[in-house]
Amino acid sequence: MTALTGFAAMYRDREKLPLRTRLLFTFGAVAALHIAAVVLSLLGSLSLQGLVAAQPLAFGLVITAYVAGIKHSYDWDHIAAIDNSTRKFVAQHKDPVSVGFAFSLGHSSVVILAGLLVVAGATLIGQFMEDGTAGNKVLGLIGSGVSGLFLLGMGLFNGSAFMRATQVYWSVKAGAAISAEDLEAKGFVARLLAKPLSKVERPRNIYVIGFLFGLGFDTATTIGLLVVTTTASIAGVSPLALMALPFAFAAAMTLCDSINGVAMMKMYNSAINDPQRKLGFNVVITGISAVSALFISVITLGGFVNAAFELEDPLTTWLGGIDLGDAGLFLVGLFLIAWAVSAWRARSLGARS
């Protein structure tokens, strides 16, 4: 009982724990999801000893689900949501090690819950998966509406920080001094968004955002995973092996999103904590974050309006049909290029001095 009490107290004060300890907890949770997927897969294979043909199918589906989780983690909306949220927390002088994990876990919760319902034989879930049904449309509108508005708010907030950093950049070029406070988002837009974004105070609040993002069932990998789960259940694959699928999907997605969140935290911390040497780097990555969030919010909200009002105009129809599943890799590439150029310039300046 004492150990549980101590653990609960440590959880409440986890933001005061050393950075390394919080990283250990975050990736320990990711490892637990991997272990759950492996255990469920092994237990499922034991129950399939009499069904030799079903064993390769079960293992193949688990691998497919894991790869789908990796691919899904690099959707542009994932990258933009995690990146912009991390930028906000770092600007508030926090070390948000679990932003990527919390967002991904919220998203994964929808997939795991849907998988449980499918395995349990709930026919209702099929109505939400089937394109064109009322349930599918309602969940899709919730997911796209929340994601669009959240990314719009974050994009405007970080856009304000980008404008501020740009002004400071030219001031420094003119010989002015600089402090970390000069890079914080200020002005009318920052004040306007202060109250709506005040609810997102800690990384764990991103869990709810991730859950609502996932309600739409509009991602091909998620729908494919659930369809495969249903098909495999008809083929005689055991329920334990079936539940390994959403857990494998969640394990892969949380791993990639957690790594992305930690990498962005390190990148933004280096820019904000060393403003004199990395002001240009701060301007570039903040600008990329803001533009990406605003870009995705316009596409998402355009699709939302098109679906909600059943419009047939060319603009919202085109926006609603855009697939940004692979574009997240392009966004990651932009950040890596910005980081590499910044590191090269810092090393060059250090060698000269």
Side-chain angles (χ1 to χ4, degrees), residues 72-329:
H72 189 47
S73 68
Y74 288 103
D75 280 6
W76 196 311
D77 59 345
H78 270 241
I79 303 295
I82 294 169
D83 169 49
N84 280 264
S85 301
T86 301
R87 171 67 177 78
K88 176 181 181 293
F89 290 129
V90 170
Q92 295 170 342
H93 306 289
K94 299 175 182 177
D95 287 321
V97 298
S98 58
V99 168
F101 175 76
F103 178 88
S104 191
L105 187 64
H107 205 88
S108 301
S109 297
V110 178
V111 180
I112 292 175
L113 178 60
L116 281 170
L117 292 174
V118 168
V119 171
T123 57
L124 180 64
I125 193 67
Q127 300 176 16
F128 293 114
M129 290 169 55
E130 187 178 347
D131 192 26
T133 61
N136 180 270
K137 182 176 180 179
V138 169
L139 288 181
L141 290 175
I142 292 173
S144 61
V146 170
S147 60
L149 290 175
F150 177 75
L151 289 174
L152 178 63
M154 282 296 183
L156 290 174
F157 181 84
N158 287 329
S160 175
F162 168 72
M163 297 299 294
R164 179 69 177 170
T166 303
Q167 292 174 358
V168 173
Y169 177 82
W170 290 113
S171 297
V172 170
K173 284 287 187 180
I178 180 179
S179 64
E181 289 73 19
D182 291 331
L183 301 178
E184 295 179 0
K186 297 178 181 179
F188 172 74
V189 173
R191 291 194 300 270
L192 181 66
L193 295 172
K195 189 171 183 178
L197 295 181
S198 64
K199 302 298 181 182
V200 187
E201 295 179 349
R202 293 174 176 82
R204 64 176 177 268
N205 300 137
I206 302 298
Y207 172 87
V208 179
I209 302 296
F211 185 89
L212 294 173
F213 265 52
L215 281 180
F217 287 111
D218 57 349
T219 304
T221 49
T222 306
I223 296 175
L225 173 63
L226 296 176
V227 170
V228 162
T229 304
T230 307
T231 306
S233 64
I234 297 173
V237 177
S238 73
L240 288 175
L242 288 176
M243 281 312 302
L245 302 184
F247 273 96
F249 182 91
M253 188 164 59
T254 53
L255 174 63
C256 295
D257 282 343
S258 297
I259 292 173
N260 174 44
V262 172
M264 295 311 304
M265 179 194 71
K266 294 286 188 181
M267 194 177 292
Y268 282 122
N269 267 330
S270 68
I272 290 179
N273 294 335
D274 189 10
Q276 290 286 356
R277 298 189 64 177
K278 297 194 175 180
L279 180 57
F281 175 57
N282 183 283
V283 172
V284 171
I285 60 172
T286 303
I288 294 174
S289 297
V291 170
S292 65
L294 293 172
F295 178 60
I296 300 301
S297 69
V298 169
I299 293 174
T300 304
L301 292 175
F304 172 85
V305 172
N306 180 267
F309 299 101
E310 299 181 350
L311 303 178
E312 297 181 357
D313 66 289
L315 178 58
T316 60
T317 301
W318 174 69
L319 290 173
I322 293 177
D323 181 12
L324 293 170
D326 297 325
L329 292 173

